[in-house]
Amino acid sequence: SDLLIDRNPSPPPRSMWHESRVVLHHRETPLLSQAAKDFAHEEAAYAEVGLNNWTSLAEAVEAMPYE
């Protein structure tokens, strides 16, 4: 049974996919960061529009008579 155990297994060969991932990782990270920043800015602008709508509604309702 000792003949079947490889005491010093060699690492598996690296595939072209692995090499591509290493190279692309350095390009991917800044793109993802920029996409996250763009998304955050768009969401903030959208939230500001919503806030302005609610604020103007509150001001309009405030001026309404009770009866």
Side-chain angles (χ1 to χ4, degrees):
S1 68
D2 283 338
L3 297 175
L4 299 177
I5 297 174
D6 188 359
R7 302 269 183 214
N8 295 317
S10 60
R14 292 190 177 198
S15 67
M16 188 171 197
W17 172 250
H18 173 77
E19 298 297 329
S20 298
R21 293 300 303 150
V22 170
V23 170
L24 292 176
H25 173 74
H26 295 293
R27 294 183 184 165
E28 228 173 48
T29 303
L31 290 175
L32 289 173
S33 296
Q34 188 61 47
K37 287 178 188 178
D38 292 346
F39 178 76
H41 286 295
E42 290 170 8
E43 287 296 307
Y46 182 77
E48 188 174 350
V49 169
L51 176 63
N52 291 341
N53 287 341
W54 282 107
T55 302
S56 62
L57 178 63
E59 291 169 356
V61 169
E62 191 69 33
M64 294 174 104
Y66 284 105
E67 295 179 16

